[in-house]
Amino acid sequence: MRATRTLVLLLSIIAAVVITVFVLTVTGGDRTDTNQPPDQGGQRSTTGVPSTTSSGARPPTVDMFGNRLEVPAEEAGAVLPQRAEDRVDPARPDYLSAPPDQLQWQRIWGGAAVPVSGSDGPARIDAGVAEGFARTPQGAALAAMDAIGRVYAAPDPIWRDVVRERFYGGGQPLIDRFARSRADTPGASRYVTVPEGVRIQSGYRDDLAVVQLAVRSTTGYAIATWPMVWVEGDWRVRVPEDVESLWRPATPTASVSGFGDWKARS
């Protein structure tokens, strides 16, 4: 019974560690990106650190639903070389749900599943914090999934740095709330799994992307909604004034129609 309660709690957290229906306006703090490869928006280029997933990596494993996870040599994960020319064409009809190029999922710190790509980031991992996501819908979705995976899987004090650097707003109350959540549910990171589907809501702009993740729930699927804002050259989770609203239940749904399949195939 306790295990069931734990699963339901985590589905509330990771299936919707999120803001459910939330419209935001970014005010200030947005700067011109100097870290991304050139694309249609004229971004500048940076070269990703070569991946270690093919050198020194351990055999792959799976998440709790059987989805493939790479196990890099570094517990914090490994990035892939970035190629901006391989990004999804904005003219594609599925631009807001298509997965990025060379998508793979990695298990970090023995727990959470986080995505990396060869086109939309992350471009680097600095002291356990992933950075350098592309200013694209795919980059926003990658950043959203990476943030929650790291905040639950990373050891102290790295997870606190993740909250400070990958979330916009919340401050110390948000750190305190995540600390209670981690303490209340030991091993929470193993519930951070590969989603059943990913999409960005229509109306995407390069300073605001509303990312939706479809995950399995006890009654079918649940949709978690993550507003992501472009601040100081990267995507960050936009935290509402009421921090506690991040822990509201996700929206149940019977179907993942309209969501993109972001599961790794190799």
Side-chain angles (χ1 to χ4, degrees), residues 55-159:
S55 176
R58 287 162 282 177
T61 186
V62 295
D63 68 11
M64 64 186 298
F65 296 117
N67 298 301
R68 179 185 176 110
L69 304 178
E70 309 302 329
V71 186
E74 296 85 354
E75 287 191 310
V79 302
L80 301 176
Q82 299 295 296
R83 286 173 50 89
E85 57 268 35
D86 293 335
R87 292 179 184 171
V88 178
D89 184 350
R92 281 177 52 167
D94 62 345
Y95 178 51
L96 296 180
S97 61
D101 190 65
Q102 297 183 58
L103 175 67
Q104 68 173 224
W105 291 83
Q106 298 179 1
R107 187 183 71 175
I108 57 171
W109 287 290
V114 298
V116 300
S117 81
S119 56
D120 294 79
R124 56 192 172 278
I125 298 173
D126 184 6
V129 181
E131 301 173 335
F133 294 92
R135 200 170 188 176
T136 62
Q138 289 71 29
L142 290 165
M145 293 182 280
D146 178 89
I148 196 58
R150 290 181 187 277
V151 83
Y152 277 104
D156 212 353
I158 296 174
W159 73 264

Side-chain angles (χ1 to χ4, degrees), residues 154-221:
D156 212 353
I158 296 174
W159 73 264
R160 298 174 188 269
D161 294 333
V162 173
V163 177
R164 294 185 188 101
E165 298 179 30
R166 306 309 313 157
F167 291 74
Y168 182 82
Q172 189 60 44
L174 181 62
I175 293 176
D176 294 342
R177 185 62 179 85
F178 270 121
R180 292 199 303 274
S181 180
R182 285 170 54 105
D184 289 345
T185 314
S189 64
R190 70 182 182 274
Y191 293 102
V192 183
T193 58
V194 178
E196 292 300 301
V198 178
R199 71 182 178 193
I200 289 76
Q201 285 187 359
S202 59
Y204 163 80
R205 301 285 294 274
D206 66 4
D207 62 350
L208 172 64
V210 182
V211 176
Q212 291 190 315
L213 309 177
V215 300
R216 297 193 192 189
S217 74
T218 54
T219 58
Y221 302 100

